[in-house]
Structures are given as C-alpha cells and as structure tokens.
Amino acid sequence: MTLSGHLAPSTATRLSVRDAATLAARHATDSEVLRTLHPAVAGALTGAGFPRHFVPAEFGGDAGTFAGLVESVALLGEGCTSAAWCAALQAAHGRLAAHLPPRGQADIWGSGPDVPIAAAVVPPAGELTEAPGGYRLSGRWHLASGVDHADWLLLAAPEPGDGGGSPRILALPRADFTVEDTWRNTGLRGTGSNSVTVAGAFVPRHRTMSRDVLATGRPEESAARCHRVPFPLVASLMFAAPALGAARAALRAWTDVTAGRATGPGGGLLDDGAAQQVLARSSAEIDAAYLLLRGAAERADHAPLDRLPVARNMRDAAVAVEMLVAVVERLFRSGGTRVQSEAEPLQRFWRDVHALAGHGALRLAPAAAAYARSVVPDVPDGVQGA
C-alpha cells in the first residue's frame, strides 16, 4: 500500500508541533489500521518542519538543535508514537543526507528543504556494481520507516568487491524504488516500516558516500554543529525521544481511567494508596528519563566531540528507555482489564514502547560496554560483560 500524504516543498504550510500532535492523536487508530501514517498526519509532519530540521541552511533548512528535536518529537509522541518515530527519523535522515557531496544535496533539496526522506542503512544489503559515472544498484531492504510518504530513500550496500570495508550509502528518488507492503508488527504499527526493492537503478557517484563519513561527521569548520557530530553521539537519542512522549501519554491515559473507577463507597481508585504510589513513582521516573534525554541532547549540541560524550549519550538513551518501558508496563498492569481494550489508548502506548525498545540502537549491553571503556580505558573486554 502506498499513500502519498506529504506536502510538496512548494506548498508546505507551517504548522505548530502541538497542532501536529493533536492531528496525530486524532488519526492514531486510522494509522494503525492502515499500517502507515494517515495521509493528513504525514502532511502534518512536513508542515511542522521535521524533514527540514537538520537540512543545511544553504538549502533553506533549519540546521537545528538536538535539544529542540527531542522536545518536538516527545510532544508529537504524546499524540501518536508512530508519528513521533517517523518524525524523528525524517529529521535524522535529513541530517544523514547532509553528508552527501554538495551536488547530491542539491539533487534532493534544490526545490526546497521540505523533503521527507526514508532510509534503510543498517544492515547493508543488495548488490552494487560500478557503472560509468556512478553505480548500478539492485536488491531488497527491510524496515524503511515512513517510506510510503518519502520522496527520497537512503540505502546502504556493500562496496563492489567489498572485502569487509565500509558500505556505501546511496540516495534514490521515489521513481527508483518500489515499496513492498510487509509491515505487520505488534507495536509502532503506523510507522509503515515496509520493505523496498530496487531493480538495477543507476545512482550517480555524487549521490553516494561511504558510511564512514557518518561515523566522524563533516570535518569543515564552517559546517553547522548538527552536521559535525559523529553518528554514534546522536543515533540512540533520536530513537529514544518518541518513548518519552509515549510514556507521558500513557500516564495521562492511566489517570483518566483510574480517576473515575470506584473502589467502594466514597471514592475512586486514586483515593487508594497503591494507586497514588503508581502515580507518584511513574511521574517521577518519566521526569528522570526526560532529564537524561535532555542532558544527552545538550551534549550533542555543545559538548566536545570525543569518546566520553558519545558513551554517555549511548548510556543515557538506553537507560532512559528502560525506565520508560518500566513505567508504561507498571501503568498497564495496574490499570486492570479496561486498559486492555482496543478502545483505550494505553494499550497502544504499551505496545509501542515495547516495540521501540527492541531497536538495536537502544540496547543497554553495547552502551554499557562503550561507557566502561570510556571511563576505565584499560578494562579488558571480557570483564565488561561479567
């Protein structure tokens, strides 16, 4: 299924993130049924500026901050986790595309910065062959979130004759790839994280780059801060931000359900001490997770670009998501059978945060290992997993 719901760059209408969140909440069930964002929601993401958030200023983009993105994505996530996930990735993919050669960037943003971009760059797949002036690309890639509404797609493939080196990332326009309707997941159902196929598309060299470029960031002093940071410093942060909004919305949904439930003569469940503890603990842990993610975003925007900030950001994003999953799990289990109804949004947020937490970028084990190596450089690898 392919639904074209984005706004063309020349017709994109400015929209507040709060208005986009309201619209996303209104269509959250529709997006789940469609297994991709409702067209109005996809258009709202463009109108709220997510595709342009990290686009270079020379193409009319915002070259924005990570702190600003975390706040916006979390707010959107209070309406719909799937919309927040797609929004975060649209911004992230614009940042990745800003590492292409200037001519490749101009191919994408020559008509304006409001261009939704999807990606499937981990793991690399497909077959790449040399061709005059560029490459021929064929193959199949999975989990391209938001691809139904994307104008461009970033794909990673092994270099021709690759002996284990860095894959090559290639940018393809809509006409060069086909979307396969494969997304049937328990959570994040509205993200439309479908598979894509490419059949011998020609990709000029100026629309390609080594994936190593992302690991280090752009080296030019004149480049915006958001383009100079290394990919590991910010990858887990952008995947974690939707969980913050989902947990806030889950707490609000739980409160709505429990506040009106009678436990006996004289009051509702919120008069019960156990429910009060659920409310207090859950709200405090959401606030603590926010502080972890906010601190990680501030480091991404301002900290020295060395190993310790990278490790701290990986650590804090993974721990924050673990906390948020625990919060939503507590709310779901204490909410009774009513919150399990398809009509109640809490069950959707519960499914979404569990699906989100399964992403490889949010695993605690590699984050913990990276952090241990940063603070105790001579720790043997075997000791870190003990």
Side-chain angles (χ1 to χ4, degrees), residues 97-298:
H99 292 72
L100 288 166
R103 187 178 168 192
Q105 296 181 48
D107 284 355
I108 297 174
W109 297 308
S111 298
D114 297 303
V115 180
I117 301 172
V121 296
V122 179
E127 182 179 357
L128 196 61
T129 57
E130 295 274 2
Y135 302 88
R136 288 283 175 188
L137 178 66
S138 295
R140 189 170 188 252
W141 291 257
H142 303 289
L143 303 177
S145 296
V147 70
D148 288 323
H149 306 285
D151 287 339
W152 284 78
L153 177 66
L154 301 177
L155 296 173
E159 288 276 12
D162 181 44
S166 176
R168 181 152 295 271
I169 293 179
L170 308 97
L172 287 81
R174 183 84 201 186
D176 286 355
F177 61 88
T178 301
V179 179
E180 296 185 6
D181 182 15
T182 57
W183 181 242
R184 288 165 177 80
N185 210 45
T186 302
L188 296 176
R189 291 178 178 173
T191 60
S193 300
N194 287 309
S195 301
V196 295
T197 56
V198 178
F202 174 72
V203 185
R205 193 173 301 275
H206 68 263
R207 282 203 259 116
T208 77
M209 60 183 165
S210 168
R211 203 168 72 184
D212 280 346
V213 175
L214 303 180
T216 57
R218 288 175 53 174
E220 315 96 282
E221 288 292 330
S222 59
R225 165 74 184 205
C226 63
H227 303 137
R228 290 189 290 112
V229 300
F231 181 71
L233 180 67
V234 297
S236 55
L237 172 65
M238 290 188 280
F239 284 117
L244 179 61
R248 288 171 173 169
L251 180 59
R252 187 161 54 246
W254 177 88
T255 304
D256 290 343
V257 169
T258 57
R261 183 189 300 159
T263 58
L269 189 59
L270 287 181
D271 295 317
D272 183 283
Q276 293 168 0
Q277 291 179 41
V278 169
L279 176 62
R281 182 180 296 277
S282 299
S283 60
E285 290 176 354
I286 291 172
D287 287 348
Y290 166 70
L291 293 176
L292 286 174
L293 296 179
R294 177 73 188 191
E298 292 290 348

Side-chain angles (χ1 to χ4, degrees), residues 17-36:
V17 175
R18 187 169 298 280
D19 286 344
T22 299
L23 187 65
R26 184 183 309 148
H27 290 292
T29 299
D30 298 329
S31 294
E32 286 221 322
V33 172
L34 291 168
R35 289 178 287 105
T36 190

